[in-house]
Amino acid sequence: MKLQRRLSYETPEDTHNGTIINAILINETKNGKPRENLRLTIAVDQIPGDPLHDYRVRMDYWGSQNDSLLDDMFRLLGPDVVHLTDMDGEILPEKLTLLEGKRVQFDVTHEKRPGFKVAYRKVQNLQPLKEAA
């Protein structure tokens, strides 16, 4: 019998390493207006001293964050970033698999928000992980 760690999105504050396990474009409507975002789901490497949890984080890029999106994608994919889009610069959903499996380092900070018991986990400073040689 295998012991299963609990899946949790309540990742502790700190700098973490992990692996991008999913990348998806999401189209939704808020207040009657369409909005699009790119969501990366990252499996956090096991945190020392916490054998109970299998942590995940989500990083969402909204249309208003286009500058940071291009910077982050270039850091992760290098010159292959050109394969992520069509000729007009639109992200091709079928090419998001280029991101899956990428090893990354990122910061998680907690932001307390009125009306919520659990702090919002803000993921920032996404960088490719430089593995030791």
Side-chain angles (χ1 to χ4, degrees):
M1 176 182 287
K2 183 178 179 180
L3 295 177
Q4 296 289 329
R5 295 189 312 225
R6 282 181 235 126
L7 184 63
S8 175
Y9 284 85
E10 295 183 17
T11 305
E13 278 187 303
D14 205 348
T15 297
H16 297 286
N17 297 336
T19 303
I20 298 173
I21 59 171
N22 191 26
I24 187 169
L25 279 177
I26 299 173
N27 292 300
E28 60 185 20
T29 304
K30 184 172 184 177
N31 300 326
K33 296 181 180 178
R35 37 185 239 170
E36 181 179 53
N37 77 305
L38 171 64
R39 173 173 288 168
L40 303 180
T41 303
I42 303 169
V44 180
D45 289 357
Q46 186 170 358
I47 296 173
D50 186 352
L52 300 178
H53 295 98
D54 187 7
Y55 289 107
R56 302 279 190 271
V57 294
R58 291 184 182 127
M59 186 163 190
D60 288 312
Y61 294 91
W62 299 94
S64 60
Q65 298 170 315
N66 236 350
D67 292 342
S68 65
L69 172 60
L70 180 57
D71 292 343
D72 287 353
M73 295 302 105
F74 185 74
R75 272 195 301 272
L76 293 174
L77 297 173
D80 287 338
V81 74
V82 298
H83 302 296
L84 195 60
T85 64
D86 64 16
M87 297 297 286
D88 296 323
E90 293 291 326
I91 293 175
L92 300 167
E94 65 273 13
K95 295 295 186 174
L96 290 173
T97 56
L98 291 169
L99 295 165
E100 294 173 6
K102 294 288 183 186
R103 298 280 295 146
V104 292
Q105 185 174 67
F106 52 92
D107 297 327
V108 174
T109 55
H110 294 179
E111 293 181 358
K112 302 277 186 196
R113 295 187 175 181
F116 292 92
K117 284 184 177 181
V118 177
Y120 170 73
R121 267 69 179 164
K122 183 173 185 174
V123 180
Q124 52 193 1
N125 300 325
L126 187 66
Q127 301 284 331
L129 184 62
K130 294 167 179 64
E131 299 285 352

